[in-house]
Amino acid sequence: MFLAQTIKFMNKKVIAIIFLTLAALAVLYLYSFGPLSGVRTAQNFNPVSLHTSASNDSKFNVYHDKDVKENYYKVQLPKDWQVSMGEKPGGYAASSNGVNGEIGLQDVPDNSTLELYILSQDEPKLKTSLSTYNRIDYKKISVNGNDAYQLIYTSKNGNDIYETTRTYIAGQDNAGLIILTSKQSDFSGLQETFDSIIKSFSWEN
C-alpha cells in the first residue's frame, strides 16, 4: 500500500512538472512570436533614443540610439522626415515623400563574418522574398573608420521600380544596418541625402 501511494504521489508530481513546463513554453511563445511580442519590444525601448541633438548641417537632426548595450550609435536624418522607433530595439523607421528608410542593428552569427553573412544569408533572403530582385552593385566601403558593405538593388512593386541601398557597418556586437528606398527614377536625385545619412553613422560606445 505504501508503494502504491508513493507511485500515486510521484505521478502527481510528474504531471505537475509537465503542466508547468507547458505553461512556461506557452508564455515564452506569446512573448516571442504571439500577440504579446509587441509589448515586450515596446518595453525594451529606451525613450532617450528619440532625443536629438544639433547637427552641423541645419537640414538634419542627430539621433542618439541607446537601446542595446555595446551598440550605442548616432545617425543624422533630415529634419523634414517623419522618424519613429522601429519594430525592434535599436532601430528607427523614417519616411518622406516617396522615401522609406530603416536604421538599426543586424545580428551576425558568431561563426560568420559580416561579408559572409550578407552574401550567404541576407542577399539570398532578399532574392526569395522579392521575385523581381536585381542586384545593381555590391562594394566594400568605410563609414567613419569602420568596415562597411553596400548592397544596391532594384525590385518592382506593381508597375513601379524601386531602388534600395542597404549599408552594413561593422560593430562590436551587432552590425549597423541602414536601408534607404525610393523609386528608381528619383534615386539619383536623393543620392546626396542618402550619402549624408550613411556617412553620419558612428558608434558611441
Side-chain angles (χ1 to χ4, degrees):
M1 184 175 178
F2 175 75
L3 180 60
Q5 289 178 337
T6 303
I7 292 173
K8 188 176 181 181
F9 174 76
M10 290 294 291
N11 286 341
K12 288 183 178 179
K13 192 173 182 180
V14 170
I15 291 171
I17 291 173
I18 292 173
F19 176 78
L20 290 173
T21 302
L22 291 175
L25 289 173
V27 171
L28 179 62
Y29 173 82
L30 290 173
Y31 272 93
S32 297
F33 307 104
L36 296 179
S37 60
V39 175
R40 181 200 62 167
T41 301
Q43 290 174 341
N44 285 338
F45 278 115
N46 185 342
V48 76
S49 297
L50 282 177
H51 287 189
T52 62
S53 64
S55 168
N56 292 331
D57 189 328
S58 60
K59 297 179 181 179
F60 291 85
N61 282 328
V62 180
Y63 291 81
H64 299 265
D65 187 282
K66 298 183 183 295
D67 285 333
V68 180
K69 288 183 179 179
E70 298 184 1
N71 286 106
Y72 293 174
Y73 67 85
K74 67 177 179 179
V75 65
Q76 68 177 27
L77 296 168
K79 287 184 176 180
D80 59 351
W81 284 24
Q82 299 297 314
V83 180
S84 61
M85 290 191 230
E87 293 182 0
K88 297 179 181 179
Y92 297 109
S95 63
S96 181
N97 294 330
V99 179
N100 285 306
E102 295 177 42
I103 298 90
L105 302 174
Q106 176 62 61
D107 184 36
V108 178
D110 293 337
N111 61 351
S112 180
T113 63
L114 179 55
E115 183 170 26
L116 180 61
Y117 169 79
I118 297 166
L119 298 178
S120 68
Q121 295 188 50
D122 216 30
E123 187 175 27
K125 287 179 185 176
L126 292 170
K127 290 178 179 178
T128 301
S129 61
L130 302 171
S131 60
T132 54
Y133 175 90
N134 180 46
R135 184 203 279 192
I136 300 297
D137 194 14
Y138 172 78
K139 58 189 176 184
K140 181 178 181 179
I141 61 174
S142 178
V143 176
N144 285 314
N146 300 289
D147 287 342
Y149 301 89
Q150 200 164 64
L151 177 63
I152 301 173
Y153 59 90
T154 60
S155 59
K156 288 186 70 176
N157 186 359
N159 294 322
D160 295 319
I161 299 176
Y162 287 83
E163 190 162 343
T164 300
T165 177
R166 293 173 71 96
T167 305
Y168 306 77
I169 304 156
Q172 185 173 344
D173 184 27
N174 293 285
L177 177 58
I178 300 174
I179 306 171
L180 299 165
T181 301
S182 73
K183 285 185 178 180
Q184 189 176 36
S185 57
D186 299 331
F187 195 85
S188 60
L190 292 162
Q191 193 66 62
E192 184 177 348
T193 299
F194 288 177
D195 286 345
S196 294
I197 294 169
I198 293 165
K199 291 176 182 177
S200 74
F201 185 99
S202 64
W203 299 109
E204 292 200 293
N205 296 82

